[in-house]
Short mmCIF file of all heavy atoms in Angstrom, two decimals:
data_model
loop_
_atom_site.label_atom_id
_atom_site.label_comp_id
_atom_site.label_asym_id
_atom_site.label_seq_id
_atom_site.Cartn_x
_atom_site.Cartn_y
_atom_site.Cartn_z
N GLU N 158 -68.44 145.06 -22.59
CA GLU N 158 -67.95 145.41 -21.26
C GLU N 158 -66.71 144.61 -20.91
O GLU N 158 -65.75 145.14 -20.35
CB GLU N 158 -69.04 145.18 -20.20
CG GLU N 158 -68.57 145.48 -18.79
CD GLU N 158 -69.65 146.05 -17.90
OE1 GLU N 158 -70.78 146.30 -18.38
OE2 GLU N 158 -69.37 146.24 -16.71
N SER N 159 -66.71 143.34 -21.25
CA SER N 159 -65.54 142.51 -21.01
C SER N 159 -64.33 143.05 -21.76
O SER N 159 -63.21 143.10 -21.23
CB SER N 159 -65.83 141.06 -21.44
OG SER N 159 -64.73 140.22 -21.19
N ALA N 160 -64.55 143.48 -23.01
CA ALA N 160 -63.46 144.02 -23.83
C ALA N 160 -62.93 145.33 -23.25
O ALA N 160 -61.72 145.58 -23.25
CB ALA N 160 -63.95 144.24 -25.26
N VAL N 161 -63.83 146.19 -22.77
CA VAL N 161 -63.40 147.48 -22.19
C VAL N 161 -62.62 147.25 -20.90
O VAL N 161 -61.63 147.94 -20.63
CB VAL N 161 -64.61 148.40 -21.96
CG1 VAL N 161 -64.21 149.63 -21.15
CG2 VAL N 161 -65.19 148.84 -23.30
N LEU N 162 -63.03 146.28 -20.08
CA LEU N 162 -62.27 145.95 -18.87
C LEU N 162 -60.87 145.46 -19.23
O LEU N 162 -59.90 145.78 -18.54
CB LEU N 162 -63.01 144.90 -18.04
CG LEU N 162 -64.28 145.39 -17.33
CD1 LEU N 162 -65.03 144.22 -16.71
CD2 LEU N 162 -63.94 146.42 -16.26
N LEU N 163 -60.77 144.71 -20.32
CA LEU N 163 -59.45 144.28 -20.79
C LEU N 163 -58.63 145.48 -21.25
O LEU N 163 -57.43 145.59 -20.95
CB LEU N 163 -59.62 143.27 -21.94
CG LEU N 163 -58.34 142.83 -22.66
CD1 LEU N 163 -57.33 142.23 -21.69
CD2 LEU N 163 -58.67 141.83 -23.77
N ALA N 164 -59.26 146.41 -21.97
CA ALA N 164 -58.57 147.62 -22.42
C ALA N 164 -58.09 148.46 -21.24
O ALA N 164 -57.00 149.04 -21.27
CB ALA N 164 -59.50 148.46 -23.31
N MET N 165 -58.89 148.50 -20.17
CA MET N 165 -58.50 149.25 -18.98
C MET N 165 -57.32 148.58 -18.27
O MET N 165 -56.48 149.25 -17.67
CB MET N 165 -59.70 149.38 -18.04
CG MET N 165 -60.82 150.23 -18.61
SD MET N 165 -62.34 150.22 -17.63
CE MET N 165 -61.97 151.50 -16.43
N ALA N 166 -57.25 147.25 -18.34
CA ALA N 166 -56.09 146.54 -17.78
C ALA N 166 -54.83 146.89 -18.58
O ALA N 166 -53.75 147.10 -18.01
CB ALA N 166 -56.34 145.03 -17.81
N PHE N 167 -54.99 146.97 -19.91
CA PHE N 167 -53.87 147.37 -20.76
C PHE N 167 -53.42 148.79 -20.44
O PHE N 167 -52.23 149.09 -20.39
CB PHE N 167 -54.28 147.25 -22.23
CG PHE N 167 -53.24 147.73 -23.20
CD1 PHE N 167 -52.02 147.06 -23.31
CD2 PHE N 167 -53.46 148.85 -23.99
CE1 PHE N 167 -51.05 147.51 -24.21
CE2 PHE N 167 -52.50 149.30 -24.88
CZ PHE N 167 -51.29 148.63 -24.99
N ASP N 168 -54.40 149.66 -20.19
CA ASP N 168 -54.10 151.05 -19.81
C ASP N 168 -53.27 151.10 -18.53
O ASP N 168 -52.28 151.83 -18.44
CB ASP N 168 -55.41 151.81 -19.62
CG ASP N 168 -55.21 153.15 -18.93
OD1 ASP N 168 -54.78 154.10 -19.60
OD2 ASP N 168 -55.49 153.24 -17.72
N ARG N 169 -53.65 150.30 -17.52
CA ARG N 169 -52.89 150.27 -16.25
C ARG N 169 -51.51 149.67 -16.46
O ARG N 169 -50.53 150.10 -15.84
CB ARG N 169 -53.66 149.47 -15.20
CG ARG N 169 -54.95 150.11 -14.69
CD ARG N 169 -54.69 151.46 -14.03
NE ARG N 169 -54.64 152.55 -14.99
CZ ARG N 169 -53.97 153.68 -14.80
NH1 ARG N 169 -53.28 153.87 -13.71
NH2 ARG N 169 -53.96 154.62 -15.73
N TYR N 170 -51.41 148.67 -17.35
CA TYR N 170 -50.11 148.06 -17.66
C TYR N 170 -49.16 149.09 -18.25
O TYR N 170 -48.00 149.22 -17.83
CB TYR N 170 -50.30 146.88 -18.61
CG TYR N 170 -49.03 146.46 -19.31
CD1 TYR N 170 -48.05 145.74 -18.63
CD2 TYR N 170 -48.80 146.80 -20.65
CE1 TYR N 170 -46.87 145.37 -19.26
CE2 TYR N 170 -47.63 146.43 -21.29
CZ TYR N 170 -46.67 145.72 -20.59
OH TYR N 170 -45.50 145.36 -21.22
N VAL N 171 -49.64 149.84 -19.24
CA VAL N 171 -48.78 150.85 -19.88
C VAL N 171 -48.43 151.96 -18.89
O VAL N 171 -47.28 152.40 -18.82
CB VAL N 171 -49.49 151.45 -21.13
CG1 VAL N 171 -48.64 152.57 -21.73
CG2 VAL N 171 -49.75 150.37 -22.16
N ALA N 172 -49.40 152.40 -18.08
CA ALA N 172 -49.16 153.49 -17.12
C ALA N 172 -48.11 153.13 -16.08
O ALA N 172 -47.31 153.99 -15.67
CB ALA N 172 -50.47 153.86 -16.43
N ILE N 173 -48.06 151.86 -15.66
CA ILE N 173 -47.14 151.46 -14.60
C ILE N 173 -45.85 150.87 -15.15
O ILE N 173 -44.76 151.14 -14.62
CB ILE N 173 -47.85 150.46 -13.65
CG1 ILE N 173 -48.96 151.19 -12.90
CG2 ILE N 173 -46.86 149.83 -12.67
CD1 ILE N 173 -49.85 150.29 -12.07
N CYS N 174 -45.94 150.07 -16.20
CA CYS N 174 -44.75 149.39 -16.73
C CYS N 174 -44.00 150.23 -17.77
O CYS N 174 -42.79 150.06 -17.94
CB CYS N 174 -45.14 148.04 -17.34
SG CYS N 174 -45.89 146.91 -16.17
N LYS N 175 -44.69 151.11 -18.47
CA LYS N 175 -44.05 151.96 -19.48
C LYS N 175 -44.53 153.41 -19.33
O LYS N 175 -45.09 153.99 -20.27
CB LYS N 175 -44.37 151.43 -20.89
CG LYS N 175 -43.92 150.00 -21.14
CD LYS N 175 -44.29 149.54 -22.54
CE LYS N 175 -43.92 148.08 -22.76
NZ LYS N 175 -42.48 147.84 -22.73
N PRO N 176 -44.31 154.00 -18.16
CA PRO N 176 -44.87 155.34 -17.90
C PRO N 176 -44.36 156.43 -18.84
O PRO N 176 -45.09 157.36 -19.16
CB PRO N 176 -44.45 155.62 -16.45
CG PRO N 176 -43.28 154.71 -16.20
CD PRO N 176 -43.53 153.49 -17.02
N LEU N 177 -43.11 156.32 -19.29
CA LEU N 177 -42.54 157.35 -20.16
C LEU N 177 -43.15 157.32 -21.56
O LEU N 177 -43.07 158.31 -22.30
CB LEU N 177 -41.02 157.18 -20.25
CG LEU N 177 -40.25 157.32 -18.92
CD1 LEU N 177 -38.76 157.09 -19.14
CD2 LEU N 177 -40.49 158.70 -18.31
N HIS N 178 -43.74 156.18 -21.93
CA HIS N 178 -44.32 156.05 -23.27
C HIS N 178 -45.85 156.04 -23.24
O HIS N 178 -46.49 155.74 -24.25
CB HIS N 178 -43.82 154.74 -23.92
CG HIS N 178 -42.34 154.64 -24.00
ND1 HIS N 178 -41.59 155.38 -24.90
CD2 HIS N 178 -41.45 153.91 -23.28
CE1 HIS N 178 -40.31 155.09 -24.74
NE2 HIS N 178 -40.19 154.21 -23.76
N TYR N 179 -46.42 156.38 -22.08
CA TYR N 179 -47.87 156.28 -21.89
C TYR N 179 -48.65 157.08 -22.94
O TYR N 179 -49.54 156.56 -23.61
CB TYR N 179 -48.24 156.75 -20.48
CG TYR N 179 -49.70 156.63 -20.14
CD1 TYR N 179 -50.30 155.38 -19.95
CD2 TYR N 179 -50.50 157.76 -20.00
CE1 TYR N 179 -51.64 155.27 -19.62
CE2 TYR N 179 -51.85 157.66 -19.66
CZ TYR N 179 -52.42 156.41 -19.49
OH TYR N 179 -53.75 156.31 -19.17
N THR N 180 -48.29 158.35 -23.09
CA THR N 180 -49.04 159.22 -24.01
C THR N 180 -48.77 158.90 -25.48
O THR N 180 -49.62 159.16 -26.33
CB THR N 180 -48.70 160.70 -23.75
OG1 THR N 180 -47.29 160.88 -23.81
CG2 THR N 180 -49.20 161.13 -22.38
N THR N 181 -47.60 158.36 -25.76
CA THR N 181 -47.29 158.02 -27.16
C THR N 181 -47.90 156.68 -27.58
O THR N 181 -48.18 156.47 -28.76
CB THR N 181 -45.76 157.96 -27.38
OG1 THR N 181 -45.18 157.04 -26.45
CG2 THR N 181 -45.14 159.33 -27.18
#
């Protein structure tokens, strides 16, 4: 669960900081 919460933080980082590359 701790690892998945970290992965979700990475997901939000990519979505907001690198939105154009999110899907790639």
Side-chain angles (χ1 to χ4, degrees):
E158 178 146 355
S159 181
V161 170
L162 288 172
L163 173 57
M165 294 172 85
F167 176 65
D168 167 78
R169 291 299 84 206
Y170 162 75
V171 176
I173 293 172
C174 299
K175 301 179 184 294
L177 299 178
H178 303 287
Y179 183 71
T180 54
T181 56

